Amino acid sequence: MDRIRIRGGRRLEGRIPVSGAKNATLPLMACALLTDGPLVLTNAPDLADIETMAGLIAQHGLSVEHDKRARTLTLAGRATNLEAPYDLVRRMRASVLVLGPLLARYGRARVSLPGGCAIGTRPVDLHLKGLEAMGATIVVEAGYIEATAPEGGLQGARIIFPQVSVGATENLLMAAALASGETELVNAAREPEIGDLARCLMAMGADIDGIGSDKLTIKGSARLSGATHGIIPDRIEAGTFAIAAAITGGSLLLEGARLDHLGAVTRTLRDAGVDVREAADGLQVSRLNGLHGTDVVTEPFPGFATDMQAQFMALMCVAEGAAMLTETIFENRFMHVPELNRMGARINVHGSSAIIRGVGRLSGAPVMATDLRASVSLILAGLAATGETTVNRVYHLDRGYERIEEKLAAVGADIARVTG
């Protein structure tokens, strides 16, 4: 099994290209189920989760071509199989995003309840209630969602989310694009990936108003066509590399990164003593002087992203003073804390909050990754630590970061992937 070996203490300097956003690409791939296509996605990242989604879409009967050199995904064809099986869906939670498109286009779907990282239950109730409001009949039995649209297809509806849900917003946005009449999604997620999905649907012929707001209005179309769409840069990868610059006292130009996609992460980094500014072709990130303990509460966009919590915790481990990080999105997202403490961090967890008292310097140690973002927080900690850090179970890392060891090595990190 692969491991990542880091010898810390080296400042990072240079340029890092930011890949296309994983969390945008996955729902965009599900859009291919809404049309015979072809749907061509450019700036596509090369990640394990993308391959998992490609396998799922292919088993539905579509052709999927991933040109890794050209960084394009081409998806086309008509679904011949309306079941998303457990063996595929269990690997990645985003697989549930095929439910809305299959139901809207073909009138029925059978989709396994999803899996993914072990960071909380993340129920799909809001997805199902929204589809029921559009007229679907849904039965959950033996680990599968059995969904059937009414005669004449899904109908537009006014759906008010009791809490913000990115996945439910995406699923219902895709379903509404082919539903009869008008659909309103109220208290919809505002993440940049939602806007990217909406713009792709519009390129396919959908009529969507309110992009970027918490109220999306969709006028359903009888059919959608193929399109070519460029995937937005990955804001979580950009934020991760911004912390890599800060935690090593270095300076990095993050090629392609967008300031408007980072939300509260930018303000929080600046409060902690990190300079983040727009450059001609991305973002320039440098540490000013010392790092300062800064409190964080995770929130839906434009708040501080839960997917950046573990990385920011690593940064706070070497900051002056104390910081409190409060997790409001997922109930089990502090599994990296014991591993950071093995490296000399001083972190105490109290319910949904973690108190971090900066130690100035971490020590390298063998550590174990528990989920995608936890794994990269340990790499960040290793970059700042004295001695050698070995991160085990890095298959989590490969789900969401494209050749991260190569990108970091290119800007001065002593890091390598070790096989066997």
Side-chain angles (χ1 to χ4, degrees), residues 105-155:
R105 178 90 189 279
Y106 300 100
R108 59 186 179 87
R110 187 172 189 263
V111 178
S112 171
L113 290 168
C117 283
I119 58 173
T121 55
R122 299 192 283 182
V124 296
D125 296 14
L126 297 183
H127 304 237
L128 306 187
K129 289 176 181 177
L131 292 170
E132 286 177 329
M134 299 172 75
T137 299
I138 294 178
V139 176
V140 178
E141 189 174 65
Y144 275 82
I145 303 162
E146 304 264 5
T148 307
E151 189 174 346
L154 295 177
Q155 305 296 312

Side-chain angles (χ1 to χ4, degrees), residues 32-39 75-79 105-106 223-226:
L33 296 167
L34 295 167
T35 177
D36 289 343
L39 178 62
L75 307 96
R78 186 174 178 85
R105 178 90 189 279
Y106 300 100
R223 62 182 298 276
L224 296 176
S225 63

Side-chain angles (χ1 to χ4, degrees), residues 172-179 181-185 197-211 215-225:
L172 297 178
L173 179 58
M174 289 186 282
L178 283 183
E182 184 174 283
T183 298
E184 284 186 352
L185 302 180
L197 174 61
R199 283 185 285 272
C200 179
L201 289 169
M202 291 180 69
M204 296 168 68
D207 185 342
I208 302 171
D209 189 43
I211 296 174
K215 180 182 175 183
L216 294 169
T217 303
I218 309 101
K219 295 177 182 176
S221 304
R223 62 182 298 276
L224 296 176
S225 63

